[in-house]
Each structure stands twice: as structure tokens, then as C-alpha cells.
């Protein structure tokens, strides 16, 4: 497998992780929407922690994806 194909495969994997994180965020928001009337303070704390964790994970995945895009550009330019 060439370096170019390897970077493309890594980008596909990162894209999958981003989709999972976004889906998880929707799931947490959906859980909150269905239980907000009966939610305890502990439930709200878990929801807040999950959203913060997923946001950080999304930010990191997007930074890694951006770095891989730049690496792919450099490979195509021959640097």
C-alpha cells in the first residue's frame, strides 16, 4: 500500500469516528429530551459530562483530519 493510499485510509477511519461522535451527541441530546422532566441532578451531570467529552473528541478528530489533509496535499505536490 502506498503512502497516498495509507493516508486516504486513515482519513476514512477518522471520518467514521467523526460520524460516531456526532451520532453519540444526538443520542445524548435525545436522551435528555425524553427524560428532562424526570431527570435527577446526577442524570444532568452525566449528560453534561458526555456532551463535553464528545465535543472534545470531535475537536481532536477534526484537528487530526485537518493534519491528514495537509499531509495528503504535501504527498500530491511531491514535497
Amino acid at each position: 500500500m502506498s503512502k497516498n493510499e495509507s493516508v486516504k485510509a486513515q482519513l476514512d477511519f477518522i471520518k467514521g469516528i467523526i460520524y460516531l461522535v456526532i451520532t453519540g451527541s444526538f443520542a445524548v441530546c435525545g436522551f435528555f429530551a425524553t427524560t428532562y422532566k424526570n431527570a435527577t441532578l446526577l442524570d444532568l451531570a452525566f449528560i453534561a459530562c458526555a456532551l463535553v467529552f464528545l465535543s472534545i473528541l470531535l475537536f481532536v478528530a477534526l484537528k487530526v483530519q485537518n493534519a491528514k489533509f495537509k499531509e495528503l496535499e504535501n504527498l500530491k505536490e511531491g514535497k
Side-chain angles (χ1 to χ4, degrees), residues 3-17:
K3 181 72 174 168
N4 194 9
E5 291 173 355
S6 174
V7 172
K8 285 181 182 180
Q10 290 172 353
L11 278 170
D12 286 340
F13 179 72
I14 294 168
K15 184 171 56 171
I17 290 174

Side-chain angles (χ1 to χ4, degrees), residues 14-31:
I14 294 168
K15 184 171 56 171
I17 290 174
I18 290 171
Y19 288 150
L20 285 174
V21 169
I22 291 172
T23 303
S25 298
F26 278 117
V28 170
C29 291
F31 174 74

Side-chain angles (χ1 to χ4, degrees), residues 36-64:
Y36 71 94
K37 288 185 181 177
N38 300 328
T40 63
L41 189 58
L42 185 62
D43 291 336
L44 296 176
F46 281 139
I47 290 168
C49 287
L51 287 175
V52 168
F53 174 73
L54 288 170
S55 297
I56 291 170
L57 191 60
L58 180 63
F59 177 75
V60 169
L62 288 172
K63 292 287 273 186
V64 171

Side-chain angles (χ1 to χ4, degrees), residues 4 67-79:
N4 194 9
K68 291 295 176 183
F69 275 133
K70 288 184 181 188
E71 183 180 344
L72 189 61
E73 276 182 21
N74 290 339
L75 283 173
K76 286 188 177 184
E77 290 175 0
K79 291 183 179 178

